[in-house]
Amino acid sequence: MGTKRELKKWLKQYLLDRPAVTREVAPVHRWELDYPSDMRSAQFSESGRVVQGWVLLNTEHAEWQQKLTIVAAWEPAYELCHPLEIERADVIERVLGASDEDHLQRYCGFRFTVPPSLTRFTLWLACEDQRWLLQVVEINPPEALQAPETLKVLEGKAGWLFLNNDTNASVDQYRGRLRLTPRGLSGWQRYLSAFYALAEKQKAASAVLVAPSKESVMGPGYHPYAEGAGGPIQQLLALPEAQVLVYPVQALMALGDDAFIQTDTHWTQRGAMAASKVLAAALGLDERAVENTFVDDEYGELSLTGDLGSKLKPERTCRISSLHTFNYHQYRCFDNGLPNFGRLVVLANGKALMPGTCLIFGSSSSYSMFNYVSRLFKRVVFVHSAGNLDPEVVKAVQPEFLVAQTNARFVVQVPSASCSLQALIAEKKACLSEEEVMMVAKRRIGVETHNPVISSLGLSPWVVT
């Protein structure tokens, strides 16, 4: 939204997406935004740019105070919703000339953070299904660029680390203070409908697997904040289209501390096995046969830094249980080696439980599942796309099993049902650093264009890309 015309267009669409937005005069006696403000220096915390202020209602609406929230919006699919929960004695005394003791509106303040790089966001006052526009906040781009770097790790109890200040606002999601908008929810409805239509067209057993966040599983015991209600994952699970969505939170909770890695955002290998079992059941596999497939697995202890531990100085490590009686690497017949989006991996195991092909459009949580799904399906085709679907790949592979896998914290980014793997590969290759080029070359497993496995799966166009 770089121009006023674009801003007006966005606001108009926002109102159309929210038919409950009232056009009546706001019931506000007076309100003020302390930060950000042209009158004061910008304030930042470890979590981002501070947004702080207060709202006083007209006398006849004073009883609404406990139901009010301040909504900050800058993306069409989600928004922040924070209650008026801070006591502001200074406001009651200065503005109303009254004592704050037992005053009906003494908790009239709000304080939260938004990404420090934001240059524009909109503040609304909301009361249940009604809301009123308070202000479009604009920040000088130079000021936004000079914002201090924020810590990406949140220290929990007993040395457990959690993600903080990520682009998906994981902490606000966990606390129930970041929510999908009607546009975000309708986007998920369209995506789920398109996914199941695509699976039905291919006559494939199908499932959308959402990896629960570390916060949702380990949070009750170790997170510094309490879990809130009504966050994006709860909103998604409540949709009619999500009735067959696979969300293995109970299976992970049953593992206790073995579900997630203490210094990483991802589940452990035992957690990946638990998720694989739940997924297999959703795809119609015999549960006892699946259980027997992994019954002889043995694990040993290793030291791991993890994607969270590596962000601290000095780095933090933990001990993990690592599967040492099986490794899927022996079944890789192709791997383009690209980092994250655009990676294509093909696994082939003639001794697998099921004779068919499982096509997975997944995310980083899928990798630790390879040790298990490669023993369940004769062929596994993995596309790193975080659930974004390429219908052309589906048409070419013609899988017996179709899976879309994303992570709960990615729910605020509605996946597409019509992405292009070729475009993802080209885009990734175009921006590889020298270090990444070396990494890709090291882990790439190439094949001849007419490799029988690749040809039978119809993947030649993507293998030679």
Side-chain angles (χ1 to χ4, degrees):
M1 294 185 294
T3 67
K4 289 185 177 180
R5 178 177 295 179
E6 289 171 331
L7 177 61
K8 288 180 179 179
K9 181 180 179 181
W10 179 81
L11 284 173
K12 180 180 179 181
Q13 185 61 52
Y14 191 95
L15 291 171
L16 290 174
D17 286 342
R18 286 192 167 275
V21 173
T22 182
R23 287 157 177 77
E24 298 175 359
V25 176
V28 175
H29 170 65
R30 184 172 164 185
W31 85 284
E32 188 171 309
L33 187 61
D34 301 325
Y35 304 104
S37 170
D38 294 335
M39 308 296 292
R40 305 174 187 89
S41 299
Q43 294 289 311
F44 296 91
S45 73
E46 289 186 346
S47 298
R49 179 184 295 278
V50 172
V51 179
Q52 176 182 303
W54 50 268
V55 176
L56 289 174
L57 299 180
N58 297 327
T59 304
E60 61 269 29
H61 297 105
E63 70 277 5
W64 289 9
Q65 195 271 338
Q66 294 184 349
K67 299 186 291 184
L68 293 179
T69 56
I70 296 294
V71 177
W74 61 92
E75 290 284 348
Y78 62 85
E79 59 192 15
L80 283 177
C81 306
H82 281 263
L84 294 178
E85 59 183 356
I86 298 176
E87 191 171 6
R88 291 293 298 262
D90 60 318
V91 173
I92 300 301
E93 294 172 3
R94 173 169 55 87
V95 179
L96 299 181
S99 170
D100 74 308
E101 186 177 354
D102 296 326
H103 195 282
L104 191 60
Q105 296 196 67
R106 66 186 183 279
Y107 289 97
C108 61
F110 60 87
R111 180 185 172 92
F112 55 90
T113 59
V114 297
S117 59
L118 275 186
T119 58
R120 179 186 287 119
F121 60 95
T122 307
L123 286 179
W124 305 79
L125 176 68
C127 181
E128 297 178 340
D129 290 335
Q130 298 186 81
R131 59 176 60 195
W132 301 268
L133 178 63
L134 292 177
Q135 182 179 335
V136 176
V137 182
E138 300 198 52
I139 300 164
N140 256 328
E143 181 189 320
L145 293 173
Q146 293 167 8
E149 185 176 352
T150 54
L151 186 64
K152 301 295 184 182
V153 179
L154 187 63
E155 182 100 27
K157 302 171 187 175
W160 281 80
L161 304 180
F162 296 91
L163 192 61
N164 194 20
N165 300 315
D166 58 309
T167 55
N168 300 303
S170 291
V171 174
D172 283 316
Q173 286 197 51
Y174 174 65
R175 300 181 72 189
R177 295 186 171 186
L178 186 143
R179 297 172 187 169
L180 292 167
T181 63
R183 190 189 294 192
L185 289 169
S186 63
W188 268 105
Q189 289 178 302
R190 289 191 298 272
Y191 168 80
L192 291 172
S193 296
F195 171 81
Y196 292 118
L198 185 61
E200 187 174 336
K201 183 178 181 180
Q202 295 297 323
K203 295 181 172 54
S206 63
V208 175
L209 170 64
V210 179
S213 69
K214 182 180 182 179
E215 291 80 1
S216 292
V217 178
M218 310 309 303
Y222 300 111
H223 203 280
Y225 295 109
E227 185 171 12
I233 185 61
Q234 288 87 5
Q235 290 177 285
L236 175 59
L237 293 171
L239 292 175
E241 293 82 359
Q243 289 179 358
V244 291
L245 188 145
V246 179
Y247 183 63
V249 67
Q250 295 302 323
L252 290 167
M253 285 183 169
L255 294 175
D257 288 358
D258 288 334
F260 277 82
I261 301 170
Q262 192 175 35
T263 59
D264 196 278
T265 56
H266 296 90
W267 48 32
T268 61
Q269 289 187 332
R270 291 185 188 275
M273 179 180 65
S276 298
K277 289 180 180 179
V278 177
L279 174 64
L283 293 173
L285 275 65
D286 181 83
E287 294 185 37
R288 180 173 294 182
V290 172
E291 186 71 35
N292 290 337
T293 302
F294 310 134
V295 70
D296 294 326
D297 285 355
E298 295 180 5
Y299 295 78
E301 276 205 353
L302 291 176
S303 179
L304 180 73
T305 302
D307 59 9
L308 295 176
S310 62
K311 292 179 171 64
L312 298 178
K313 302 299 178 187
E315 291 186 343
R316 191 85 57 83
T317 61
C318 70
R319 303 294 293 178
I320 64 166
S321 293
S322 177
L323 179 65
H324 64 74
T325 52
F326 182 86
N327 192 316
Y328 73 87
H329 281 264
Q330 61 186 305
Y331 298 111
R332 284 191 303 164
C333 64
F334 176 76
D335 186 345
N336 67 11
L338 292 175
N340 301 320
F341 274 60
R343 191 169 183 181
L344 175 62
V345 180
V346 179
L347 309 174
N349 177 9
K351 298 178 181 179
L353 179 65
M354 302 298 292
T357 298
C358 181
L359 172 58
I360 304 173
F361 291 93
S363 70
S364 56
S365 293
S366 293
Y367 290 96
S368 54
M369 297 175 66
F370 287 174
N371 279 325
Y372 306 101
V373 295
S374 64
R375 287 183 279 171
L376 297 180
F377 307 101
K378 182 178 180 180
R379 291 172 178 174
V380 175
V381 178
F382 170 75
V383 176
H384 193 138
S385 65
N388 292 288
L389 309 172
D390 186 338
E392 292 301 315
V393 173
V394 178
K395 181 179 179 181
V397 174
Q398 297 184 21
E400 285 80 10
F401 305 92
L402 178 63
V403 176
Q405 186 275 311
T406 188
N407 295 345
R409 72 174 186 268
F410 299 158
V411 165
V412 295
Q413 301 177 25
V414 182
S416 168
S418 58
C419 81
S420 166
L421 175 57
Q422 284 190 332
L424 288 178
I425 293 173
E427 182 180 348
K428 180 63 69 172
K429 284 184 174 181
C431 62
L432 290 176
S433 65
E434 290 185 13
E435 182 181 354
E436 288 174 328
V437 169
M438 294 176 62
M439 178 191 67
V440 169
K442 184 176 180 180
R443 67 186 183 189
R444 176 180 169 83
I445 295 180
V447 294
E448 297 295 329
T449 304
H450 299 295
N451 175 278
V453 173
I454 299 302
S455 296
S456 67
L457 291 170
L459 288 172
S460 297
W462 295 275
V463 166
V464 299
T465 298

